[in-house]
């Protein structure tokens, strides 16, 4: 369970982050971008004092868990607070790949 003091510390994070926090956030975002999942790539993360907070919306619990596990593997030793919300509306704004019909002779 996340300590209240840790939550306050992260919520109070302003524009000044430690080099380690910036590196963790960058590493997580890079790992998410390699996931091949547009919904996961759109998530946000913040790091402060060994705590990683994940925020955003996805359309399934699988994606929520996958984003968390990618973050956990990337930020070994950090505690993770997963605030990602599962919502049917998470898919709005994303365009599905289109298929082009091929006319056979």
């Amino acid at each position: 369970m996340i300590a209240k003091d840790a939550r306050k510390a992260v919520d109070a994070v302003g524009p000044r982050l430690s080099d380690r926090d910036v590196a963790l956030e960058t590493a997580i975002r890079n790992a998410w971008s390699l996931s091949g999942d547009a919904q996961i790539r759109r998530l946000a993360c913040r790091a402060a004092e060994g705590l990683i907070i994940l925020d955003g919306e996805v359309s399934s619990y699988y994606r929520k868990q996958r984003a968390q596990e990618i973050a956990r593997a990337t930020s070994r030793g950090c505690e993770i607070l997963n605030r990602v919300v599962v919502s049917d509306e998470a898919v709005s704004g994303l365009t599905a790949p289109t298929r082009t019909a091929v006319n056979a002779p």
Side-chain angles (χ1 to χ4, degrees), residues 8-98:
K8 287 179 185 176
V10 172
D11 289 338
V13 169
R16 291 184 159 183
L17 297 174
S18 73
D19 290 341
R20 181 176 186 264
D21 293 339
V22 172
L24 280 170
E25 289 177 8
T26 301
I28 291 169
R29 283 192 205 100
N30 287 341
W32 283 347
S33 71
L34 295 173
S35 74
D37 190 313
Q39 290 184 33
I40 290 175
R41 286 194 304 263
R42 292 186 324 164
L43 295 175
C45 69
R46 291 188 300 162
E49 301 178 17
L51 177 63
I52 307 291
I53 295 182
L54 311 180
D55 281 305
E57 286 187 25
V58 293
S59 64
S60 69
Y61 286 99
Y62 168 77
R63 283 186 165 108
K64 176 179 178 168
Q65 186 64 30
R66 186 168 177 222
Q68 177 177 312
E69 292 309 313
I70 291 169
R72 184 179 314 284
T74 305
S75 60
R76 293 183 192 138
C78 291
E79 192 164 1
I80 296 180
L81 176 58
N82 191 344
R83 292 194 218 175
V84 174
V85 175
V86 176
S87 167
D88 290 337
E89 296 176 15
V91 294
S92 65
L94 295 178
T95 56
T98 57

